[in-house]
Coordinates of all heavy atoms in Angstrom, one line a residue:
M1474 N 111.6 52.0 -66.1 CA 112.7 51.2 -66.6 C 113.8 51.0 -65.5 O 114.1 52.0 -64.8 CB 113.3 51.8 -67.9 CG 112.4 51.7 -69.1 SD 112.3 49.9 -69.5 CE 110.8 49.9 -70.4
E1475 N 114.3 49.8 -65.5 CA 115.4 49.6 -64.5 C 116.7 49.1 -65.3 O 116.6 48.6 -66.4 CB 115.0 48.5 -63.5 CG 113.9 49.1 -62.6 CD 113.7 48.2 -61.4 OE1 114.7 47.9 -60.7 OE2 112.5 47.9 -61.1
F1476 N 117.8 49.3 -64.6 CA 119.1 49.0 -65.3 C 119.9 48.0 -64.5 O 119.8 47.9 -63.3 CB 119.8 50.3 -65.5 CG 119.1 51.3 -66.4 CD1 118.3 52.2 -65.9 CD2 119.3 51.2 -67.8 CE1 117.6 53.1 -66.8 CE2 118.6 52.0 -68.7 CZ 117.8 53.0 -68.2
C1477 N 120.7 47.3 -65.2 CA 121.5 46.3 -64.7 C 122.6 46.8 -63.7 O 123.3 47.8 -64.0 CB 122.2 45.5 -65.8 SG 123.3 44.2 -65.2
P1478 N 122.6 46.3 -62.5 CA 123.6 46.7 -61.5 C 125.0 46.4 -61.9 O 126.0 46.9 -61.4 CB 123.2 46.0 -60.2 CG 122.4 44.8 -60.6 CD 121.8 45.2 -62.0
K1479 N 125.2 45.4 -62.8 CA 126.5 44.9 -63.2 C 127.1 45.8 -64.3 O 128.2 46.3 -64.3 CB 126.5 43.5 -63.6 CG 126.4 42.5 -62.4 CD 126.4 41.1 -62.8 CE 126.3 40.1 -61.7 NZ 126.3 38.7 -62.1
C1480 N 126.3 45.9 -65.4 CA 126.8 46.5 -66.6 C 126.1 47.8 -67.0 O 126.5 48.5 -67.9 CB 126.9 45.6 -67.8 SG 125.3 45.1 -68.4
G1481 N 125.0 48.1 -66.3 CA 124.2 49.3 -66.6 C 123.3 49.1 -67.8 O 122.7 50.1 -68.3
G1482 N 123.2 47.9 -68.4 CA 122.3 47.6 -69.5 C 120.9 47.7 -69.1 O 120.5 47.6 -67.9
L1483 N 120.0 47.8 -70.1 CA 118.6 47.9 -69.8 C 118.0 46.5 -69.4 O 118.3 45.5 -70.0 CB 117.9 48.3 -71.1 CG 116.3 48.5 -70.9 CD1 116.0 49.7 -70.1 CD2 115.7 48.7 -72.3
L1484 N 117.3 46.5 -68.3 CA 116.7 45.3 -67.8 C 115.3 45.1 -68.5 O 114.5 46.0 -68.3 CB 116.6 45.3 -66.3 CG 117.9 45.2 -65.5 CD1 117.6 45.3 -64.0 CD2 118.7 43.9 -65.8
V1485 N 115.1 44.0 -69.1 CA 113.9 43.8 -69.8 C 113.0 42.8 -69.0 O 113.5 41.7 -68.6 CB 114.2 43.2 -71.2 CG1 112.8 42.9 -71.9 CG2 115.0 44.1 -72.0
P1486 N 111.8 43.1 -68.7 CA 110.9 42.2 -68.0 C 110.6 41.0 -68.8 O 110.1 41.1 -69.9 CB 109.7 43.1 -67.6 CG 109.8 44.2 -68.6 CD 111.2 44.4 -69.0
V1487 N 110.8 39.8 -68.2 CA 110.4 38.6 -68.9 C 109.6 37.7 -68.0 O 109.9 37.6 -66.8 CB 111.7 37.8 -69.3 CG1 111.3 36.4 -69.9 CG2 112.5 38.6 -70.3
K1488 N 108.5 37.2 -68.5 CA 107.6 36.5 -67.6 C 107.9 35.0 -67.8 O 107.9 34.5 -68.9 CB 106.1 36.8 -67.9 CG 105.2 36.3 -66.8 CD 103.8 36.7 -67.1 CE 102.9 36.2 -65.9 NZ 101.5 36.4 -66.2
E1489 N 108.2 34.3 -66.7 CA 108.3 32.9 -66.7 C 107.3 32.3 -65.7 O 107.3 32.5 -64.5 CB 109.7 32.5 -66.3 CG 110.7 32.8 -67.4 CD 112.2 32.4 -66.9 OE1 112.3 31.6 -66.0 OE2 113.1 32.9 -67.5
K1490 N 106.4 31.5 -66.3 CA 105.3 31.0 -65.5 C 104.5 32.1 -64.8 O 104.0 33.0 -65.5 CB 105.7 29.9 -64.5 CG 106.2 28.7 -65.1 CD 106.8 27.7 -64.1 CE 107.4 26.5 -64.9 NZ 108.1 25.6 -64.0
E1491 N 104.5 32.2 -63.5 CA 103.8 33.3 -62.9 C 104.7 34.4 -62.3 O 104.3 35.3 -61.7 CB 102.9 32.8 -61.7 CG 101.7 31.9 -62.2 CD 100.9 32.7 -63.3 OE1 100.4 33.8 -63.0 OE2 100.7 32.1 -64.4
T1492 N 106.0 34.2 -62.6 CA 107.0 35.1 -62.0 C 107.6 36.0 -63.1 O 107.9 35.5 -64.2 CB 108.1 34.3 -61.3 OG1 107.5 33.3 -60.5 CG2 108.9 35.3 -60.4
V1493 N 107.7 37.3 -62.8 CA 108.3 38.2 -63.7 C 109.8 38.4 -63.3 O 110.1 38.8 -62.1 CB 107.6 39.5 -63.8 CG1 108.2 40.5 -64.7 CG2 106.1 39.2 -64.2
Y1494 N 110.7 38.3 -64.2 CA 112.1 38.5 -64.0 C 112.5 39.7 -64.8 O 112.0 40.0 -65.9 CB 112.9 37.3 -64.4 CG 112.7 36.1 -63.6 CD1 111.8 35.1 -64.0 CD2 113.4 35.9 -62.4 CE1 111.6 34.0 -63.2 CE2 113.2 34.8 -61.6 CZ 112.3 33.8 -62.0 OH 112.0 32.7 -61.3
L1495 N 113.5 40.4 -64.3 CA 114.2 41.5 -65.1 C 115.5 40.9 -65.6 O 116.3 40.5 -64.8 CB 114.4 42.7 -64.2 CG 113.2 43.4 -63.8 CD1 113.5 44.5 -62.8 CD2 112.5 44.0 -65.0
V1496 N 115.6 40.9 -66.9 CA 116.8 40.3 -67.5 C 117.6 41.3 -68.3 O 117.1 42.1 -69.0 CB 116.4 39.1 -68.5 CG1 117.6 38.4 -69.0 CG2 115.5 38.1 -67.7
C1497 N 118.9 41.3 -68.0 CA 119.8 42.2 -68.7 C 120.1 41.6 -70.1 O 120.5 40.5 -70.3 CB 121.1 42.4 -67.9 SG 122.3 43.4 -68.8
R1498 N 119.9 42.5 -71.1 CA 120.1 42.0 -72.5 C 121.6 42.0 -72.8 O 122.0 41.4 -73.8 CB 119.4 42.9 -73.4 CG 117.9 42.8 -73.2 CD 117.2 43.9 -74.0 NE 116.9 43.5 -75.3 CZ 116.3 44.2 -76.2 NH1 116.0 45.5 -75.9 NH2 116.0 43.8 -77.4
K1499 N 122.4 42.7 -72.1 CA 123.9 42.7 -72.4 C 124.6 41.5 -71.7 O 125.3 40.8 -72.4 CB 124.5 44.0 -71.8 CG 124.2 45.2 -72.8 CD 125.0 46.4 -72.3 CE 124.7 47.6 -73.1 NZ 125.4 48.8 -72.6
C1500 N 124.5 41.3 -70.4 CA 125.3 40.3 -69.7 C 124.4 39.1 -69.2 O 125.0 38.2 -68.7 CB 126.0 40.9 -68.6 SG 125.0 41.4 -67.2
G1501 N 123.1 39.2 -69.3 CA 122.3 38.1 -68.9 C 121.9 38.1 -67.5 O 121.4 37.1 -67.0
H1502 N 122.3 39.1 -66.7 CA 122.0 39.2 -65.3 C 120.5 39.2 -65.1 O 119.7 39.8 -65.9 CB 122.6 40.5 -64.8 CG 122.2 40.8 -63.3 ND1 122.7 40.1 -62.3 CD2 121.2 41.6 -62.8 CE1 122.2 40.6 -61.1 NE2 121.2 41.5 -61.5
K1503 N 120.1 38.4 -64.2 CA 118.6 38.1 -64.0 C 118.2 38.3 -62.5 O 118.9 37.7 -61.7 CB 118.4 36.7 -64.5 CG 116.9 36.3 -64.5 CD 116.8 35.0 -65.2 CE 115.6 34.2 -64.9 NZ 115.6 32.9 -65.5
R1504 N 117.2 39.0 -62.3 CA 116.6 39.0 -60.9 C 115.1 39.1 -61.0 O 114.5 39.5 -62.0 CB 117.2 40.1 -60.1 CG 116.9 41.5 -60.6 CD 117.4 42.5 -59.6 NE 117.2 43.9 -60.1 CZ 116.1 44.6 -59.9 NH1 115.1 44.1 -59.3 NH2 116.0 45.8 -60.3
K1505 N 114.5 38.7 -59.9 CA 113.1 38.8 -59.8 C 112.6 40.3 -59.8 O 113.2 41.1 -59.1 CB 112.6 38.1 -58.5 CG 112.2 36.7 -58.6 CD 111.5 36.2 -57.4 CE 111.2 34.7 -57.5 NZ 110.5 34.3 -56.3
A1506 N 111.6 40.5 -60.5 CA 111.0 41.9 -60.6 C 110.1 42.1 -59.3 O 109.5 41.2 -58.9 CB 110.2 42.1 -61.8
K1507 N 110.2 43.3 -58.9 CA 109.2 43.7 -57.8 C 107.8 43.7 -58.5 O 107.7 44.0 -59.7 CB 109.6 45.0 -57.2 CG 110.8 45.0 -56.4 CD 111.3 46.4 -56.1 CE 112.7 46.5 -55.6 NZ 113.2 47.8 -55.6
K1508 N 106.8 43.5 -57.7 CA 105.5 43.6 -58.2 C 105.1 45.0 -58.5 O 104.8 45.8 -57.6 CB 104.5 42.9 -57.2 CG 104.5 41.4 -57.4 CD 103.2 40.9 -56.8 CE 103.1 39.4 -57.1 NZ 101.9 38.8 -56.6
K1509 N 105.0 45.3 -59.8 CA 104.6 46.6 -60.2 C 103.6 46.4 -61.4 O 103.7 45.5 -62.1 CB 105.8 47.4 -60.8 CG 106.6 48.0 -59.7 CD 107.7 48.9 -60.3 CE 108.6 49.5 -59.3 NZ 109.7 50.2 -59.9
T1510 N 102.7 47.3 -61.4 CA 101.6 47.1 -62.4 C 102.2 47.2 -63.9 O 101.7 46.5 -64.7 CB 100.6 48.3 -62.3 OG1 101.3 49.5 -62.1 CG2 99.6 47.9 -61.2
S1511 N 103.2 47.9 -64.1 CA 103.8 48.1 -65.4 C 104.3 46.8 -66.0 O 104.4 46.6 -67.2 CB 104.8 49.2 -65.4 OG 105.8 48.9 -64.5
Y1512 N 104.8 45.9 -65.1 CA 105.4 44.7 -65.5 C 104.3 43.6 -66.0 O 104.7 42.6 -66.6 CB 106.2 44.1 -64.4 CG 107.5 44.9 -64.2 CD1 107.8 45.3 -62.9 CD2 108.3 45.3 -65.2 CE1 108.9 46.0 -62.7 CE2 109.4 46.1 -65.0 CZ 109.7 46.5 -63.7 OH 110.8 47.2 -63.5
K1513 N 103.1 43.9 -65.7 CA 102.0 43.0 -66.2 C 102.0 42.9 -67.7 O 101.6 42.0 -68.3 CB 100.7 43.5 -65.7 CG 100.4 43.1 -64.3 CD 99.0 43.6 -63.9 CE 98.8 43.3 -62.4 NZ 97.5 43.9 -62.0
V1514 N 102.5 44.0 -68.3 CA 102.7 44.1 -69.7 C 103.4 43.0 -70.4 O 103.0 42.6 -71.5 CB 103.5 45.4 -70.0 CG1 103.8 45.6 -71.4 CG2 102.7 46.6 -69.4
V1515 N 104.4 42.4 -69.7 CA 105.3 41.4 -70.3 C 104.6 40.3 -71.1 O 105.0 39.9 -72.1 CB 106.1 40.8 -69.2 CG1 107.1 39.8 -69.8 CG2 106.9 41.9 -68.5
T1516 N 103.5 39.8 -70.6 CA 102.8 38.7 -71.2 C 102.5 38.9 -72.7 O 102.7 38.1 -73.5 CB 101.5 38.4 -70.5 OG1 101.3 39.3 -69.4 CG2 101.4 37.0 -70.0
T1517 N 102.0 40.1 -73.0 CA 101.6 40.4 -74.3 C 102.9 40.7 -75.2 O 102.8 40.6 -76.4 CB 100.7 41.7 -74.4 OG1 101.3 42.7 -73.7 CG2 99.4 41.4 -73.8
V1518 N 104.0 41.0 -74.6 CA 105.1 41.5 -75.3 C 106.1 40.4 -75.7 O 106.6 40.4 -76.8 CB 105.9 42.5 -74.4 CG1 107.2 42.9 -75.0 CG2 105.1 43.8 -74.3
T1519 N 106.3 39.4 -74.9 CA 107.3 38.4 -75.1 C 107.2 37.6 -76.5 O 108.1 37.1 -77.0 CB 107.4 37.4 -74.0 OG1 106.1 37.1 -73.6 CG2 108.2 37.9 -72.9
S1520 N 106.0 37.6 -77.0 CA 105.7 36.9 -78.2 C 106.4 37.5 -79.4 O 106.8 36.8 -80.3 CB 104.2 36.8 -78.5 OG 103.7 38.1 -78.5
D1521 N 106.6 38.8 -79.4 CA 107.2 39.5 -80.5 C 108.6 40.1 -80.0 O 108.7 41.1 -79.5 CB 106.3 40.6 -81.0 CG 106.8 41.2 -82.3 OD1 107.9 40.8 -82.8 OD2 106.1 41.9 -82.9
K1522 N 109.6 39.3 -80.2 CA 110.9 39.7 -79.7 C 111.6 40.8 -80.5 O 112.4 41.6 -80.0 CB 111.9 38.5 -79.7 CG 111.6 37.5 -78.5 CD 112.4 36.3 -78.6 CE 112.0 35.4 -77.4 NZ 112.7 34.1 -77.5
K1523 N 111.3 40.9 -81.7 CA 111.9 41.9 -82.6 C 111.6 43.4 -82.1 O 112.4 44.2 -82.0 CB 111.4 41.8 -84.0 CG 112.2 40.7 -84.8 CD 111.7 40.5 -86.2 CE 112.3 39.3 -86.8 NZ 111.7 39.0 -88.1
T1524 N 110.3 43.6 -81.9 CA 109.9 45.0 -81.5 C 109.7 45.1 -80.0 O 108.9 45.9 -79.6 CB 108.6 45.3 -82.3 OG1 107.6 44.3 -82.0 CG2 108.9 45.5 -83.7
R1525 N 110.3 44.2 -79.2 CA 110.0 44.1 -77.8 C 110.2 45.5 -77.1 O 109.3 45.9 -76.4 CB 111.0 43.1 -77.2 CG 110.5 42.6 -75.8 CD 111.0 41.3 -75.4 NE 112.5 41.3 -75.4 CZ 113.2 40.2 -75.1 NH1 112.6 39.1 -74.8 NH2 114.5 40.2 -75.1
T1526 N 111.3 46.1 -77.2 CA 111.6 47.3 -76.4 C 110.5 48.4 -76.7 O 110.0 49.0 -75.8 CB 113.0 47.9 -76.7 OG1 113.9 46.8 -76.8 CG2 113.4 48.8 -75.6
G1527 N 110.3 48.6 -78.0 CA 109.3 49.6 -78.4 C 108.0 49.3 -77.9 O 107.3 50.1 -77.4
V1528 N 107.6 48.0 -78.0 CA 106.3 47.6 -77.5 C 106.1 47.8 -76.1 O 105.1 48.3 -75.6 CB 106.0 46.1 -77.9 CG1 104.7 45.7 -77.4 CG2 106.0 46.0 -79.4
I1529 N 107.2 47.5 -75.3 CA 107.1 47.6 -73.8 C 106.8 49.0 -73.5 O 105.9 49.3 -72.7 CB 108.4 47.2 -73.2 CG1 108.6 45.6 -73.3 CG2 108.5 47.6 -71.7 CD1 109.9 45.1 -72.9
E1530 N 107.5 50.0 -74.1 CA 107.3 51.4 -73.7 C 105.9 51.8 -74.1 O 105.3 52.5 -73.3 CB 108.3 52.2 -74.5 CG 109.7 52.2 -73.8 CD 110.8 52.7 -74.7 OE1 110.5 53.3 -75.7 OE2 111.9 52.6 -74.3
E1531 N 105.4 51.4 -75.2 CA 104.1 51.7 -75.6 C 103.0 51.1 -74.7 O 102.2 51.8 -74.2 CB 103.9 51.2 -77.1 CG 102.8 51.9 -77.8 CD 102.6 51.4 -79.2 OE1 103.5 51.6 -80.0 OE2 101.7 50.6 -79.4
E1532 N 103.2 49.9 -74.4 CA 102.2 49.2 -73.6 C 102.2 49.8 -72.2 O 101.2 49.9 -71.6 CB 102.6 47.7 -73.5 CG 102.4 46.9 -74.8 CD 101.0 46.5 -75.0 OE1 100.2 46.4 -74.0 OE2 100.6 46.3 -76.2
V1533 N 103.4 50.1 -71.6 CA 103.4 50.7 -70.3 C 102.7 52.0 -70.3 O 101.9 52.3 -69.4 CB 104.9 50.9 -69.9 CG1 105.0 51.8 -68.6 CG2 105.6 49.6 -69.6
K1534 N 102.9 52.8 -71.3 CA 102.2 54.1 -71.4 C 100.7 53.8 -71.4 O 99.9 54.5 -70.7 CB 102.6 54.8 -72.7 CG 103.0 56.2 -72.5 CD 103.3 56.9 -73.8 CE 104.8 56.9 -74.1 NZ 105.1 57.4 -75.4
I1535 N 100.2 52.8 -72.2 CA 98.8 52.5 -72.3 C 98.3 52.1 -70.9 O 97.3 52.5 -70.4 CB 98.5 51.4 -73.3 CG1 98.8 52.0 -74.7 CG2 97.1 50.9 -73.2 CD1 98.9 50.9 -75.8
S1536 N 99.0 51.2 -70.2 CA 98.6 50.7 -69.0 C 98.5 51.8 -67.9 O 97.7 51.8 -67.0 CB 99.5 49.5 -68.5 OG 100.7 50.0 -68.2
E1537 N 99.4 52.8 -68.0 CA 99.4 53.9 -67.1 C 98.1 54.7 -67.3 O 97.5 55.2 -66.4 CB 100.6 54.7 -67.2 CG 101.8 54.2 -66.4 CD 103.1 54.9 -66.7 OE1 103.1 55.8 -67.6 OE2 104.1 54.5 -66.2
E1538 N 97.8 54.9 -68.6 CA 96.6 55.6 -69.0 C 95.4 54.9 -68.4 O 94.5 55.5 -67.9 CB 96.5 55.8 -70.5 CG 97.3 57.0 -71.0 CD 97.4 57.1 -72.5 OE1 96.6 56.4 -73.1 OE2 98.3 57.7 -73.0
R1539 N 95.4 53.6 -68.6 CA 94.3 52.8 -68.1 C 94.1 52.9 -66.6 O 93.0 53.0 -66.1 CB 94.5 51.3 -68.5 CG 94.0 51.0 -69.9 CD 94.0 49.5 -70.1 NE 94.0 49.2 -71.6 CZ 94.6 48.2 -72.1 NH1 95.3 47.4 -71.4 NH2 94.6 48.0 -73.4
L1540 N 95.3 52.8 -65.9 CA 95.2 53.0 -64.5 C 94.6 54.3 -64.1 O 93.8 54.3 -63.2 CB 96.7 52.9 -64.0 CG 97.2 51.5 -63.6 CD1 98.6 51.6 -63.1 CD2 96.3 50.9 -62.4
A1541 N 95.0 55.3 -64.8 CA 94.4 56.6 -64.5 C 92.9 56.6 -64.7 O 92.1 57.2 -63.9 CB 95.1 57.7 -65.3
E1542 N 92.5 56.0 -65.8 CA 91.1 55.9 -66.1 C 90.4 55.1 -65.1 O 89.3 55.5 -64.6 CB 90.9 55.2 -67.5 CG 90.9 56.2 -68.6 CD 90.8 55.4 -70.0 OE1 90.2 54.3 -70.0 OE2 91.4 55.9 -70.9
E1543 N 91.0 54.0 -64.7 CA 90.4 53.2 -63.7 C 90.2 53.9 -62.3 O 89.2 53.8 -61.6 CB 91.2 51.9 -63.5 CG 90.8 50.8 -64.5 CD 91.8 49.6 -64.5 OE1 92.5 49.5 -63.5 OE2 91.8 48.9 -65.4
R1544 N 91.3 54.6 -62.0 CA 91.3 55.4 -60.8 C 90.1 56.4 -60.8 O 89.4 56.6 -59.8 CB 92.6 56.1 -60.6 CG 93.2 55.9 -59.2 CD 94.5 56.5 -59.1 NE 95.6 55.7 -59.7 CZ 96.6 56.1 -60.3 NH1 96.8 57.4 -60.5 NH2 97.5 55.3 -60.8
E1545 N 90.0 57.0 -62.0 CA 88.9 58.0 -62.2 C 87.5 57.4 -62.0 O 86.7 57.9 -61.3 CB 89.1 58.7 -63.6 CG 88.3 59.9 -63.7 CD 88.8 61.1 -62.9 OE1 90.0 61.0 -62.6 OE2 88.1 62.0 -62.6
L1546 N 87.4 56.2 -62.6 CA 86.1 55.5 -62.6 C 85.8 55.1 -61.1 O 84.7 55.3 -60.6 CB 86.2 54.2 -63.4 CG 85.9 54.4 -64.9 CD1 86.2 53.1 -65.7 CD2 84.5 54.8 -65.1
L1547 N 86.9 54.6 -60.4 CA 86.7 54.2 -59.1 C 86.3 55.4 -58.2 O 85.4 55.2 -57.3 CB 88.0 53.6 -58.6 CG 88.0 52.7 -57.4 CD1 87.4 51.3 -57.8 CD2 89.3 52.4 -56.8
R1548 N 86.9 56.5 -58.4 CA 86.5 57.7 -57.7 C 85.1 58.1 -57.9 O 84.4 58.4 -56.9 CB 87.5 58.9 -58.0 CG 87.7 59.8 -56.9 CD 88.5 61.0 -57.3 NE 87.7 61.8 -58.3 CZ 88.3 62.7 -59.1 NH1 89.5 63.0 -59.0 NH2 87.5 63.4 -60.0
E1549 N 84.7 58.1 -59.1 CA 83.3 58.4 -59.5 C 82.4 57.4 -58.8 O 81.4 57.8 -58.2 CB 83.1 58.3 -61.0 CG 83.4 59.6 -61.7 CD 83.3 59.5 -63.2 OE1 82.5 58.7 -63.7 OE2 84.1 60.2 -63.9
Y1550 N 82.7 56.2 -58.9 CA 81.9 55.1 -58.3 C 81.8 55.4 -56.7 O 80.8 55.3 -56.1 CB 82.6 53.7 -58.5 CG 81.9 52.6 -57.8 CD1 80.7 52.1 -58.3 CD2 82.4 52.1 -56.6 CE1 80.1 51.0 -57.6 CE2 81.8 51.0 -56.0 CZ 80.6 50.5 -56.4 OH 80.0 49.5 -55.8
Y1551 N 82.9 55.7 -56.2 CA 83.0 56.0 -54.8 C 82.1 57.2 -54.4 O 81.5 57.2 -53.3 CB 84.4 56.2 -54.3 CG 84.7 55.8 -52.9 CD1 84.7 54.4 -52.5 CD2 84.9 56.7 -51.9 CE1 84.9 54.1 -51.2 CE2 85.2 56.4 -50.6 CZ 85.1 55.0 -50.3 OH 85.4 54.6 -49.0
E1552 N 82.2 58.2 -55.2 CA 81.4 59.4 -54.9 C 79.9 59.0 -55.0 O 79.1 59.4 -54.1 CB 81.7 60.5 -55.9 CG 82.9 61.3 -55.5 CD 83.4 62.2 -56.6 OE1 82.7 62.3 -57.6 OE2 84.4 62.8 -56.4
I1553 N 79.5 58.2 -56.0 CA 78.1 57.8 -56.1 C 77.7 57.0 -54.8 O 76.7 57.2 -54.2 CB 77.9 56.9 -57.4 CG1 78.0 57.8 -58.6 CG2 76.5 56.3 -57.4 CD1 78.2 57.1 -59.9
F1554 N 78.6 56.1 -54.5 CA 78.4 55.3 -53.3 C 78.2 56.1 -52.0 O 77.3 55.9 -51.3 CB 79.7 54.4 -53.1 CG 79.6 53.5 -51.9 CD1 78.8 52.4 -51.8 CD2 80.5 53.8 -50.8 CE1 78.7 51.6 -50.7 CE2 80.4 53.0 -49.7 CZ 79.6 51.9 -49.6
L1555 N 79.0 57.1 -51.9 CA 78.9 58.0 -50.7 C 77.6 58.8 -50.7 O 77.0 59.0 -49.7 CB 80.1 58.9 -50.6 CG 81.4 58.3 -50.2 CD1 82.6 59.3 -50.3 CD2 81.4 57.8 -48.8
E1556 N 77.2 59.2 -51.9 CA 76.0 59.9 -52.1 C 74.8 59.1 -51.6 O 73.9 59.5 -50.9 CB 75.8 60.4 -53.5 CG 76.4 61.8 -53.8 CD 76.4 62.1 -55.3 OE1 75.5 61.6 -56.0 OE2 77.3 62.8 -55.7
T1557 N 74.8 57.8 -52.1 CA 73.8 56.9 -51.8 C 73.7 56.7 -50.3 O 72.6 56.6 -49.7 CB 74.0 55.5 -52.5 OG1 74.5 55.8 -53.8 CG2 72.7 54.7 -52.6
M1558 N 74.9 56.5 -49.7 CA 74.9 56.3 -48.3 C 74.3 57.5 -47.5 O 73.5 57.4 -46.6 CB 76.4 56.2 -47.8 CG 77.0 54.9 -48.2 SD 76.3 53.5 -47.3 CE 77.2 53.6 -45.8
A1559 N 74.7 58.7 -48.0 CA 74.1 59.9 -47.3 C 72.6 60.0 -47.5 O 71.9 60.4 -46.5 CB 74.8 61.2 -48.0
E1560 N 72.1 59.6 -48.7 CA 70.7 59.7 -48.9 C 70.0 58.7 -48.0 O 69.0 59.0 -47.4 CB 70.4 59.3 -50.4 CG 70.4 60.5 -51.3 CD 70.4 60.1 -52.7 OE1 69.8 59.0 -53.0 OE2 70.9 60.8 -53.6
Q1561 N 70.6 57.5 -47.9 CA 70.0 56.5 -47.0 C 69.9 57.0 -45.5 O 69.0 56.7 -44.8 CB 70.8 55.2 -47.1 CG 70.3 54.4 -48.4 CD 71.2 53.2 -48.6 OE1 72.2 53.0 -47.9 NE2 70.9 52.4 -49.6
E1562 N 71.0 57.7 -45.1 CA 71.1 58.2 -43.8 C 69.9 59.2 -43.5 O 69.3 59.1 -42.5 CB 72.4 58.8 -43.5 CG 73.4 57.8 -42.9 CD 74.8 58.4 -42.7 OE1 74.8 59.5 -42.2 OE2 75.8 57.7 -43.1
T1563 N 69.8 60.1 -44.4 CA 68.8 61.2 -44.2 C 67.4 60.6 -44.2 O 66.5 61.0 -43.6 CB 68.9 62.3 -45.3 OG1 69.1 61.7 -46.5 CG2 70.0 63.2 -45.0
E1564 N 67.2 59.5 -45.1 CA 65.9 58.9 -45.1 C 65.5 58.2 -43.8 O 64.4 58.2 -43.4 CB 65.9 57.8 -46.3 CG 65.5 58.4 -47.6 CD 65.7 57.4 -48.7 OE1 66.2 56.4 -48.5 OE2 65.3 57.8 -49.8
S1565 N 66.5 57.6 -43.2 CA 66.2 56.8 -42.0 C 65.9 57.7 -40.8 O 65.4 57.3 -39.8 CB 67.4 55.9 -41.7 OG 68.5 56.6 -41.4
E1566 N 66.3 59.0 -40.9 CA 66.1 59.9 -39.8 C 64.7 60.4 -39.7 O 64.0 60.5 -40.7 CB 67.1 61.1 -39.9 CG 68.4 60.7 -39.3 CD 69.5 61.8 -39.5 OE1 69.1 62.9 -39.9 OE2 70.6 61.5 -39.4
Ligands
ZN635 ZN1 124.1 43.5 -67.4

């Protein structure tokens, strides 16, 4: 979560076209968001404005879990890949 440099309010990620902005809900301060995986969440969230804050936190948590899962899968895949490479090397000798 990021906070407004002007008033310290919570900056809410809002997606406009392909760009994600962080918008202050208190004073309306707006700036471009840095590219972070957690902000991808915004797309699913903006449709429901009432429960927005709650949903964001939940979705971010989920996406972090997914990232961890993906990283784990990637590591497994990579290990298999390396094993296959090693096997191929020994076979060719
Ligand atoms: Zn503000």
Side-chain angles (χ1 to χ4, degrees):
M1474 283 296 156
E1475 292 194 46
F1476 296 92
C1477 178
K1479 285 183 179 176
C1480 71
L1483 183 70
L1484 293 177
V1485 180
V1487 175
K1488 197 177 181 185
E1489 286 180 20
K1490 291 174 186 175
E1491 291 306 307
T1492 316
V1493 178
Y1494 294 94
L1495 290 173
V1496 182
C1497 175
R1498 296 169 87 184
K1499 280 187 183 175
C1500 73
H1502 174 76
K1503 185 174 160 185
R1504 66 172 173 87
K1505 266 192 182 180
K1507 291 169 195 168
K1508 277 201 173 178
K1509 279 185 184 175
T1510 41
S1511 55
Y1512 292 130
K1513 281 182 183 173
V1514 174
V1515 180
T1516 359
T1517 52
V1518 169
T1519 38
S1520 55
D1521 193 352
K1522 282 177 183 173
K1523 278 179 190 173
T1524 54
R1525 197 159 58 182
T1526 321
V1528 175
I1529 288 170
E1530 283 167 6
E1531 203 179 284
E1532 292 278 338
V1533 169
K1534 231 183 262 174
I1535 290 165
S1536 67
E1537 277 171 0
E1538 275 170 21
R1539 274 191 200 146
L1540 268 176
E1542 270 177 32
E1543 274 170 18
R1544 230 176 280 143
E1545 195 69 23
L1546 277 171
L1547 203 72
R1548 209 188 62 193
E1549 271 176 33
Y1550 174 78
Y1551 207 71
E1552 274 169 11
I1553 291 164
F1554 177 72
L1555 287 173
E1556 269 171 33
T1557 319
M1558 288 292 282
E1560 272 170 29
Q1561 279 173 355
E1562 267 178 43
T1563 43
E1564 272 174 350
S1565 64
E1566 276 172 12

